[in-house]
Amino acid sequence: MQLLAKHWSRIAVTLIPLVFALLHATGIVRIDVLQRLDDIIYDARLRATMPNTLDERVIIVDIDEKSLAEVGRWPWSRNKLADLVDELFERQKVALLGFDVVFAEADESSGLKQLRQLAQNEMRDQAGFAERLAQLQGSLDYDAKFAKSLENRAVVMGYYFTSDRDGRSSGVLPAPVMEKESLQGRPIKFTGWDGFGSNIEQIARAAPTAGYFNSITEGDGVVRSIPLIAAYKNSYYESLAMAMFRMLIGKPTVEPGFPQERFLSRNYQGLESIRLTQADRTMAVPVDERVAVLVPFRGPGGVAGGSYKYVSAADVLSGRVAPGLLKDKIVLLGTTAPGLLDLRVTPVGETYPGVETHANVISGLLDGRIFVKPDYAIGYEVVVLVLAGLALAFTLPLLTATRAVAMSVVVMLALMGLNFWLYQGGGLVLPLASAMVMTLTAFALNMSYGYFVESRSKRELANLFGTYVPPELVDEMVKDPDSYSMAATNKELTVMFCDMRGFTKMSESMEPTQLQELLNGVFSRLTHLIRANRGTIDKYMGDCVMAFWGAPVDTPNHAALAVKTAIEMSEAVASINADHRKKGIPEIGIGIGLNTGSMCVGDMGSDIRRSYTVIGDSVNLGSRLEGLSKNYGVTIVVSESTRKLAPDFAWQEIDRVRVKGKEQAVGIYWPMGTVEGLDRAAADELKAWTAVLKAYRAQDWDQADVHLLNLARMNAKKFLYDLYTERVASMRLLPFDPEWDGATNFDSK
């Protein structure tokens, strides 16, 4: 006891993470990062334990790109859908058909409505028109034909709930599966909506069983669960997966399953399960507090995912699927075509077909493989936190650093082992992040208490600038933290704007994930070059990166470093393009603008979001110069102020320009490399080019043409020389202008 008393301050510090973890677990103070970490742990565990096997019971009839190309754009006319339904039941002999689509409007594609209007108006006096229309009406009423194909068949229609249309609704809802009275007054937290979009009455009457296809999108935009039962105006409706499962097993009644009295759930007022009762048999489907289940994903999803067989709707409709191939199968009609917007972000894929989420739930219900966060999850989390937290608090202060590491590792392994065992053995998804973070934080606080107190100012500085500035510069800054701050100040800096060329064209021909990978790879490589040359990343803007040199750490040679970086970036893109050509990937280009001048640098933004950035007229000029690079066929355009501060480079003057928003013309240059690395041929070319500019600005067009012809022999492929040849030809038609300063005006950005 005396030993513990001696370390009471360290024990108290170690208990701090336990207090916060308990506040989070009990819901008093929600710590979003812990919830996000729990989601990450769940997602990783789910991916690691998925069966990755084919479920042959469930077939997805896919309205894919092929189907849209053959049959036509969606929605299809209902007579075609009637043919599809007849094919599935009569020729394929499927056991059950579920629609992951809704038919919320009447089908007027046959022209029947217009014919009826003609019969009542313009053609009412035409003998035989009404009679002929009556004969044709049966074949032209596509909704009636579709409804007839659905009658007396094992069909579950789909619909959706919404809360984004001011409670508006359309179509006809199916009969609810539960009423409010069955809940015995308990305040169940059903997922609820105030509007819906359902099937038209004619179809709803023909196929009265229906389920909603809504899922639950978490705060991070990921779909992990589906509510089995949802609330709408004091009645309760079932999901598409639940409706299909109930039809498969004989349409049992749906009842709320209240938790049994036990210590960890004594005060819990939610539902423990949904009970499906039929005669003397009862099946309990566990649900969480939202009356939802976690989707038991089988694999990565999609046609190539291997979890379910996908059959093109066009192949079914055209009879190309062999008779009976789908016999006794559970069929879901849905879409993977990107244009129909039924792709979801899930733990196992960022473009996961929505129809497959319902297939997974059906498969899980059939196998009894349902994962759920139980009603006693809070009690479990509290007990685990208290036991682990107290064990750490009263042992870590007494241990050496090595033994403290071992103790913390043992506790973490025990927590992970228990959690995984309950997941695999009982299908229980229980929180783990709070206990893991508490263990790590308790260890860190216990071992580093003195260090953190003594070096707080240095850590704050590193945290402020660590995401903007290269690590080696942060190391310099922490040696004298009082010399640096986020306060705005005016300094001479060099700013860079680098824009990727051809990005829009690539975005039209590449998949989003491929485009993301390419863009991230290019930016990563360019960013490493910026940071290796002591540059500060300002921001990424779509396919553009902005950086600057000279702050927060003073860098006297900031202009030279920026030029060196630009040249290296241009060389890196050439290397990337060589690799792209081998792989058959579209090549990219870049345009870089550099300018040096006085800028305001500091922490700027709103009370919601701020960043360490630069602003000012010199920054705007740098942006304008980047845009000029494509006009002159070069990758790098540098202002005169930057050129003067980088004398070690060989420069080719491109032009004098007057950009939008600037009255004064500025010289712009292209860096040919270092002075030492300039070969004889390049030096001769530069000398001839200087003569071109001299003649051009003197309006001596004949002399300019002579020098340009000489340059064409030296370097026939250079766009800049062709540009000036065209300019000279155009200027030759104008009279001599003694007021002309030789500058080119650019009125657009």
Side-chain angles (χ1 to χ4, degrees):
M1 292 297 293
Q2 291 180 347
L3 191 60
L4 290 174
K6 181 180 178 180
H7 295 287
W8 68 269
S9 58
R10 292 183 66 183
I11 293 173
V13 168
T14 311
L15 286 172
I16 292 174
L18 173 60
V19 173
F20 280 98
L22 289 173
L23 290 173
H24 168 76
T26 55
I28 297 174
V29 177
R30 296 303 296 178
I31 303 175
D32 292 339
V33 69
L34 292 180
Q35 181 59 55
R36 177 65 185 126
L37 185 56
D38 258 326
D39 290 339
I40 292 172
I41 293 171
Y42 169 76
D43 294 349
R45 182 173 52 196
L46 175 66
R47 290 191 293 268
T49 58
M50 290 187 302
N52 286 305
T53 56
L54 176 67
D55 187 343
E56 297 182 352
R57 299 166 299 184
V58 181
I59 301 292
I60 295 174
V61 173
D62 186 12
I63 304 170
D64 53 7
E65 295 283 6
K66 174 183 176 181
S67 300
L68 297 180
E70 288 190 18
V71 182
R73 66 180 184 180
W74 186 262
W76 295 340
S77 60
R78 305 278 160 79
N79 63 324
K80 293 178 182 177
L81 290 168
D83 293 341
L84 180 64
V85 173
D86 289 340
E87 169 70 14
L88 288 171
F89 281 100
E90 295 174 3
R91 192 163 174 266
Q92 295 299 328
K93 309 295 184 184
V94 302
L96 175 65
L97 173 61
F99 285 86
D100 187 28
V101 292
V102 64
F103 305 101
E105 297 177 350
D107 184 355
E108 299 176 355
S109 61
S110 68
L112 180 59
K113 180 179 179 181
Q114 289 76 12
L115 291 174
R116 286 172 174 168
Q117 290 175 346
L118 285 173
Q120 295 172 2
N121 297 298
E122 292 91 334
M123 304 295 290
R124 64 177 178 271
D125 297 326
Q126 295 294 323
F129 185 82
E131 181 181 348
R132 182 58 177 158
L133 178 58
Q135 294 172 355
L136 293 173
Q137 183 163 312
S139 62
L140 294 179
D141 191 344
Y142 291 169
D143 284 326
K145 185 176 180 181
F146 182 46
K148 186 173 180 60
S149 72
L150 300 174
E151 287 179 351
N152 302 316
R153 282 175 169 166
V155 173
V156 177
M157 305 306 296
Y159 66 96
Y160 62 89
F161 283 116
T162 180
S163 291
D164 59 0
R165 299 192 303 168
D166 301 322
R168 289 179 288 174
S169 59
S170 63
V172 177
L173 281 180
V177 294
M178 286 196 318
E179 297 294 345
K180 188 174 183 180
E181 291 73 19
S182 65
L183 301 177
Q184 302 177 10
R186 291 178 178 243
I188 312 299
K189 298 177 182 177
F190 284 97
T191 303
W193 291 276
D194 60 7
F196 65 85
S198 189
N199 300 286
I200 61 175
E201 183 177 0
Q202 192 172 13
I203 294 173
R205 284 201 312 268
T209 302
Y212 57 84
F213 42 72
N214 299 73
S215 56
I216 296 176
T217 303
E218 308 293 350
D220 57 357
V222 178
V223 172
R224 295 185 179 87
S225 55
I226 287 180
L228 289 187
I229 306 294
Y232 177 73
K233 293 187 176 179
N234 293 324
S235 292
Y236 303 95
Y237 299 84
E238 61 187 334
S239 67
L240 177 63
M242 175 61 91
M244 293 181 69
F245 177 69
R246 286 181 59 240
M247 182 169 284
L248 282 170
I249 62 175
K251 292 188 177 181
T253 59
V254 178
E255 300 173 353
F258 301 116
Q260 298 177 354
E261 189 77 14
R262 56 175 178 265
F263 174 72
L264 288 175
S265 63
R266 186 167 297 164
N267 297 318
Y268 184 72
Q269 292 294 310
L271 292 184
E272 184 177 65
S273 65
I274 294 297
R275 297 170 65 85
L276 305 179
T277 304
Q278 188 174 31
D280 58 346
R281 292 186 307 160
T282 298
M283 175 183 178
V285 181
V287 293
D288 64 16
E289 63 178 2
R290 298 177 296 185
V291 198
V293 294
L294 291 159
V295 179
F297 294 99
R298 296 185 66 88
V303 177
S307 299
Y308 305 94
K309 183 177 180 180
Y310 279 74
V311 179
S312 175
D315 289 341
V316 176
L317 194 55
S318 63
R320 291 193 291 265
V321 180
L325 186 67
L326 309 183
K327 184 178 180 181
D328 298 329
K329 303 297 185 182
I330 303 165
V331 174
L332 273 163
L333 178 67
T335 177
T336 62
L340 298 185
L341 304 177
D342 193 30
L343 299 175
R344 304 283 183 265
V345 179
T346 69
V348 299
E350 294 183 355
T351 53
Y352 194 93
V355 63
E356 197 166 327
T357 60
H358 308 299
N360 281 305
V361 176
I362 294 170
S363 177
L365 289 170
L366 289 171
D367 295 336
R369 193 177 68 91
I370 293 295
F371 297 95
V372 68
K373 184 177 181 180
D375 61 315
Y376 50 83
I378 294 176
Y380 166 87
E381 187 174 13
V382 169
V383 170
V384 167
L385 286 172
V386 170
L387 292 177
L390 292 178
L392 292 169
F394 289 102
T395 57
L396 290 182
L398 309 179
L399 301 175
T400 63
T402 303
R403 292 183 177 180
V405 170
M407 175 65 181
S408 300
V409 170
V410 167
V411 170
M412 292 183 68
L413 289 176
L415 292 170
M416 289 189 292
L418 175 62
N419 193 277
F420 187 78
W421 177 70
L422 292 171
Y423 175 80
Q424 282 292 88
L428 303 176
V429 178
L430 295 164
L432 179 61
S434 58
M436 298 291 289
V437 172
M438 180 204 68
T439 302
L440 286 171
T441 309
F443 168 78
L445 286 176
N446 196 283
M447 295 293 105
S448 308
Y449 175 73
Y451 167 79
F452 280 113
V453 171
E454 293 169 1
S455 56
R456 181 178 59 187
S457 60
K458 293 182 179 181
R459 292 196 315 278
E460 289 177 349
L461 186 67
N463 289 335
L464 280 173
F465 289 97
T467 56
Y468 307 110
V469 182
E472 57 272 16
L473 295 189
V474 175
D475 292 339
E476 292 181 27
M477 295 167 68
V478 297
K479 295 176 183 177
D480 185 18
D482 294 335
S483 299
Y484 303 95
S485 74
M486 286 285 197
T489 183
N490 283 317
K491 294 183 68 175
E492 183 188 76
L493 307 172
T494 299
V495 67
M496 168 192 283
F497 286 86
C498 174
D499 184 45
M500 188 185 299
R501 306 287 190 225
F503 178 76
T504 302
K505 184 178 180 181
M506 283 190 296
S507 67
E508 296 173 351
S509 60
M510 298 180 70
E511 293 293 328
T513 52
Q514 290 179 305
L515 192 65
Q516 179 189 42
E517 182 180 356
L518 185 147
L519 191 62
N520 290 346
V522 173
F523 274 161
S524 295
R525 192 159 175 182
L526 300 185
T527 298
H528 285 311
L529 293 174
I530 293 171
R531 297 184 67 153
N533 288 297
R534 300 173 66 90
T536 299
I537 300 295
D538 188 305
K539 63 177 71 72
Y540 299 96
M541 302 166 288
D543 54 353
C544 178
V545 60
M546 176 183 173
F548 55 89
W549 281 257
V553 178
D554 287 335
T555 308
N557 60 334
H558 54 82
L561 285 173
V563 174
K564 177 176 178 288
T565 305
I567 294 174
E568 291 175 354
M569 289 167 69
S570 181
E571 293 170 349
V573 169
S575 174
I576 291 170
N577 282 333
D579 186 51
H580 282 193
R581 285 191 292 272
K582 293 178 183 177
K583 297 179 179 179
I585 300 174
E587 295 185 30
I588 61 170
I590 58 169
I592 298 174
L594 292 174
N595 184 45
T596 301
S598 179
M599 307 171 193
C600 181
V601 59
D603 184 32
M604 303 177 197
S606 68
D607 57 350
I608 297 174
R609 183 174 181 179
R610 307 175 69 84
S611 64
Y612 188 70
T613 188
V614 290
I615 59 173
D617 190 52
S618 296
V619 178
N620 297 337
L621 179 57
S623 176
R624 302 288 190 272
L625 296 184
E626 175 272 311
L628 292 182
S629 61
K630 56 188 172 185
N631 294 82
Y632 292 92
V634 295
T635 55
I636 306 168
V637 176
V638 179
S639 70
E640 191 165 5
S641 58
T642 303
R643 180 195 65 83
K644 290 179 180 179
L645 294 175
D648 294 335
F649 294 90
W651 297 96
Q652 181 176 28
E653 184 178 3
I654 301 173
D655 202 353
R656 286 177 56 79
V657 298
R658 191 174 289 105
V659 299
K660 184 177 176 63
K662 296 279 289 185
E663 294 295 331
Q664 186 176 357
V666 295
I668 58 174
Y669 298 80
W670 173 62
M672 301 178 68
T674 60
V675 173
E676 294 178 355
L678 195 69
D679 59 24
R680 179 64 180 271
D684 290 343
E685 184 179 337
L686 185 58
K687 184 177 180 181
W689 173 249
T690 303
V692 169
L693 288 182
K694 182 177 180 181
Y696 176 78
R697 289 168 182 165
Q699 302 180 61
D700 187 348
W701 312 126
D702 292 336
Q703 194 66 23
D705 271 336
V706 170
H707 292 302
L708 283 168
L709 285 172
N710 187 29
L711 279 170
R713 289 192 293 269
M714 295 181 181
N715 191 344
K717 294 183 179 181
K718 194 155 186 175
F719 174 80
L720 182 64
Y721 302 155
D722 293 336
L723 173 67
Y724 268 81
T725 300
E726 293 177 3
R727 279 192 184 180
V728 169
S730 176
M731 298 289 283
R732 188 186 293 276
L733 303 176
L734 301 176
F736 183 86
D737 184 359
E739 301 296 326
W740 184 54
D741 61 0
T744 304
N745 296 323
F746 288 92
D747 296 326
S748 60
K749 294 183 179 180

